[in-house]
Amino acid sequence: MGRWGIVALAALAVMGTACSPGSADDVAVSDETATTTTRTPRITDDSGRPPVTFDPCYDIPDDVMHAAGYDAGKKEVADMPMGTYTFLGCTYDNRDHIPGVRRGYGLNILSGNVTLEEEHSKNAHVASPITINGRAGLREVGPSGNNECTYALQTEFGVVLFNRLYYTDTVEPAPKSEWCSGMDQFVTSLEPYIPE
């Protein structure tokens, strides 16, 4: 995931607190397109970069995450002002255990004011361009190691990263072809909640 992704994920692990419940091809959104809400940023940094106006823990409805198999009642939020950039993050678990195959997935959704170009330059070795619902993005297969998949979507303020870790049920990594399995559909379903 690179320097800011690793720092942001480490901060998520350390600073997380429970929230109150509250393919490379274009994929069309159904007629029931979600509406987006732009909120006042909870935190800002001193970088001169745009403020992060999308908060994944509060701007993605819990019922949408429940429908995707993630327990929104156990999501965790973290504020991560890094001085030169900011990330707002939310973590989820999906423990759909299949014995001998997988224990489930861990998911981090990070909203940050770094550009898609910056994201590409740090992970170009594992990144390929994609478009989700007409929005430019990247698919990164294994940016920080085995069993990991990240989708980065461009926004006015920067990027939103969907970083999923496949929890294998063995000591061996899952086949690389499975690391991003289902992510196109998942990210496509959440993209309408992200402001342009």
Side-chain angles (χ1 to χ4, degrees), residues 143-174:
S144 295
N146 292 336
N147 301 322
E148 186 184 14
C149 179
T150 298
Y151 275 47
L153 297 184
Q154 186 172 41
T155 71
E156 274 189 358
F157 60 79
V159 294
V160 174
L161 305 174
F162 299 87
N163 173 260
R164 188 184 74 182
L165 184 61
Y166 185 122
Y167 298 138
T168 61
D169 205 25
T170 67
V171 295
E172 298 298 319

Side-chain angles (χ1 to χ4, degrees), residues 1 5 9 12 70 90-92 105-110 140 142-144 147-152 160-166 183 186-187:
M1 180 173 271
L9 290 177
L12 273 175
Y70 292 91
C90 199
T91 63
Y92 297 86
Y105 301 102
L107 176 71
N108 295 303
I109 305 176
L110 301 166
E140 302 172 1
S144 295
N147 301 322
E148 186 184 14
C149 179
T150 298
Y151 275 47
V160 174
L161 305 174
F162 299 87
N163 173 260
R164 188 184 74 182
L165 184 61
Y166 185 122
M183 284 289 282
F186 173 67
V187 174

Side-chain angles (χ1 to χ4, degrees), residues 117-129:
E117 292 76 19
E118 288 173 305
E119 178 67 18
H120 182 266
S121 69
K122 77 179 175 62
N123 283 330
H125 62 291
V126 295
S128 57

Side-chain angles (χ1 to χ4, degrees), residues 61-84:
D62 287 350
D63 60 340
V64 172
M65 295 304 295
H66 281 298
Y70 292 91
D71 185 353
K74 294 182 179 176
K75 66 186 176 183
E76 294 186 342
V77 65
D79 293 339
M80 292 164 282
M82 303 297 183
T84 57

Side-chain angles (χ1 to χ4, degrees), residues 3-4 7 45 47 49 80-87 113-114:
R3 64 184 183 275
W4 53 74
V7 172
D45 56 51
S47 69
R49 293 175 182 259
M80 292 164 282
M82 303 297 183
T84 57
Y85 51 84
T86 293
F87 276 96
N113 56 0
V114 299

Side-chain angles (χ1 to χ4, degrees), residues 8-90:
L9 290 177
L12 273 175
V14 172
M15 300 171 63
T17 57
C19 275
S20 58
S23 93
D25 297 330
D26 283 345
V27 182
V29 178
S30 72
D31 291 339
E32 298 177 9
T33 304
T35 58
T36 59
T37 303
T38 302
R39 67 174 60 249
T40 302
R42 286 187 288 117
I43 56 172
T44 57
D45 56 51
D46 57 5
S47 69
R49 293 175 182 259
V52 179
T53 55
F54 174 73
D55 190 324
C57 261
Y58 295 105
D59 294 333
I60 300 173
D62 287 350
D63 60 340
V64 172
M65 295 304 295
H66 281 298
Y70 292 91
D71 185 353
K74 294 182 179 176
K75 66 186 176 183
E76 294 186 342
V77 65
D79 293 339
M80 292 164 282
M82 303 297 183
T84 57
Y85 51 84
T86 293
F87 276 96
L88 302 180
C90 199

